Amino acid sequence: MKARIFQKPKNAMQSGRAGTGRWMLEFAPAEARKADPLMGWAGSGDTQRQLRLGFASREEAVAYAEKNGIEVEVTPTPERRLKIQAYADNFR
């Protein structure tokens, strides 16, 4: 079973950075989704797709994966780039 470890990004609708320091372990899909013949909703029999584990640090997440024999891919956190501009720049 494969999984990926990543740092939870900030939601586009939030101004603060609460909860963004958490590291998440998310399992890769084991089977493709297919449309339900009756309702047309997409679904699969893969129950691990619904599971997402949160950790305080990257090391804790990697240690958990190694302890349970989970093959992981660690995605590095992208560097934050700030675009600093003043309101007066709109009128140049």
Side-chain angles (χ1 to χ4, degrees):
M1 102 182 67
K2 290 186 177 183
R4 72 180 185 120
I5 295 174
F6 62 97
Q7 196 166 21
K8 189 175 174 183
K10 182 179 80 117
N11 186 344
M13 300 302 293
Q14 74 187 92
S15 59
R17 295 188 334 192
T20 58
R22 308 264 315 153
W23 286 84
M24 307 304 287
L25 185 138
E26 190 175 69
F27 290 95
E31 62 182 58
R33 292 183 175 203
K34 56 184 181 261
D36 182 55
L38 180 62
M39 298 297 287
W41 296 341
S44 71
D46 183 18
T47 57
Q48 285 195 342
R49 180 105 189 223
Q50 302 168 8
L51 184 63
R52 182 183 278 184
L53 301 173
F55 298 93
S57 68
R58 179 181 151 216
E59 291 76 25
E60 287 181 20
V62 172
Y64 175 84
E66 288 176 355
K67 178 182 172 188
N68 292 301
I70 301 169
E71 181 182 336
V72 293
E73 171 190 336
V74 179
T75 306
T77 306
E79 183 180 323
R80 253 181 91 203
R81 293 179 305 225
L82 296 176
K83 184 178 178 184
I84 299 174
Q85 61 186 37
Y87 180 70
D89 292 342
N90 294 334
F91 303 103
R92 287 188 182 182

